[in-house]
Amino acid sequence: MRNEFIFDDRGIPDILVVYTPDELGLPATLKGKAVKEYAISKYPNTMIGGRPYSLPYQQPAVNINHDEAIRLCESKGPGWHLITNDEWAALAHQSRKNGTLPRGNTDRGKSHSHPEETGVTFKDASSSCKTLTGSGPVTWNHDGTAEGVADMCGNIWEHVGGIRFVDGQVQVIPDNEAAAGADQSKDSKEWTPLYTPDGDTIYYNVENGKIKLQPIAPDDQDYDGVRFTELEASALDVPEKLIELGLYPAPGYEGTDYFWLDTDGERIVLRGGGWGNGAHAGVFYFSGDHSRAHVYWSVGFRSALVRYSGDSGDLDNLDS
C-alpha cells in the first residue's frame, strides 16, 4: 500500500491509496486483462470544473444520483470507475481483521463515541454538520494511519457500484468487473444473482421488523432496518461470498452498524452513513433503500482506478 498523486490533463491531482490485487484480495484479472494495481480515492470526491477529485480539506460533492456518479468517475479516463462494493468491502474487512475499524463524523462534526475527535465543519445549503474531507484524526482512516483511506465512516453516504437489489434479490456484477467498464444500467444483462452452495438464489425478506435471508422471493415488499449483526439466515447456508461482499456479518463481528433495505423494485447501494448516524454508521453500514435516481444532500461518492499490467509509464496523466 502507498499513497500517490495522479495528475490529469488539467494539472489537477488526485490523491489515491494504491494496492496490489493481493493486498485487497481482489481479482488479478478483469475482463481478460491482468491487473497491476487498484488505486482508491483517499477521500470522498469533490467537484472541480465538472470533474471529481480526491483531495483533502474539500467539501465533498453531494446531490448526485447513482448513474451520474458512475458517469462522472468513468469520464476521468481509462481505468477510472465509481468505487465498487467489492472494493469498499475489501477495505472494510481489512479494517475489521486489523482491529482498525475507523471512527468518523457521526455526531455533527465529531465522533459520537469519542467527542474529542473532530473534523473541520463547513456550512452549505443543507447544514453546518459536514466536515471537510480528511480533516479528522487518523482514527478516521480505515487503517488508523495517515496513509489510510479517509472518511469511510459517517460524514456522507457514498454510492458503490457493482451491486443492487431487485425485489429483495441481491444481484452483482461478478468478479469486480464493474471496475472495468461493465454495463451497470437497469436493464444490463451483466447483473447476476448470488447463489447459496446448494444453488438457491438469495433473497432478503423484510418482515415484522426483521430482515431474513431465504431461498425464495418474499411474499410482500417492505422497508426496514436492523443491526448488521442481527441479519437472520436460518433458512439457507450463507455463502462465503456474501460475507466477503459485506452483505452478511463475518463470524465474531460485533459492530453496531445498521443494514437498511427496501424490497420493492430495484434498489442501489450506499455505504458508510452520515454525520448524524451515531453508532449506526461504520464501514459495514448499508443502505439498500433508494432508487438509482435518488439525490440527497447527504449522499456523495468516490472514484477508483484500475492500473493494468503493461500500462506504460507511471499513474500520471491517465485522465482524458
Side-chain angles (χ1 to χ4, degrees), residues 150-170:
D151 302 335
M152 292 181 69
C153 171
N155 203 33
I156 60 168
W157 287 96
E158 297 187 38
H159 291 282
V160 294
I163 184 171
R164 69 174 184 176
F165 281 75
V166 179
D167 296 330
Q169 182 189 80
V170 56

Side-chain angles (χ1 to χ4, degrees), residues 56-68:
Y57 282 78
Q58 303 296 311
Q59 295 186 18
V62 293
N63 288 313
I64 294 170
N65 70 35
H66 191 70
D67 288 337
E68 182 69 356

Side-chain angles (χ1 to χ4, degrees), residues 3-16:
N3 285 197
E4 189 162 340
F5 286 86
I6 302 175
F7 289 86
D8 69 4
D9 58 338
R10 299 175 180 175
I12 301 175
D14 281 279
I15 303 176
L16 304 187

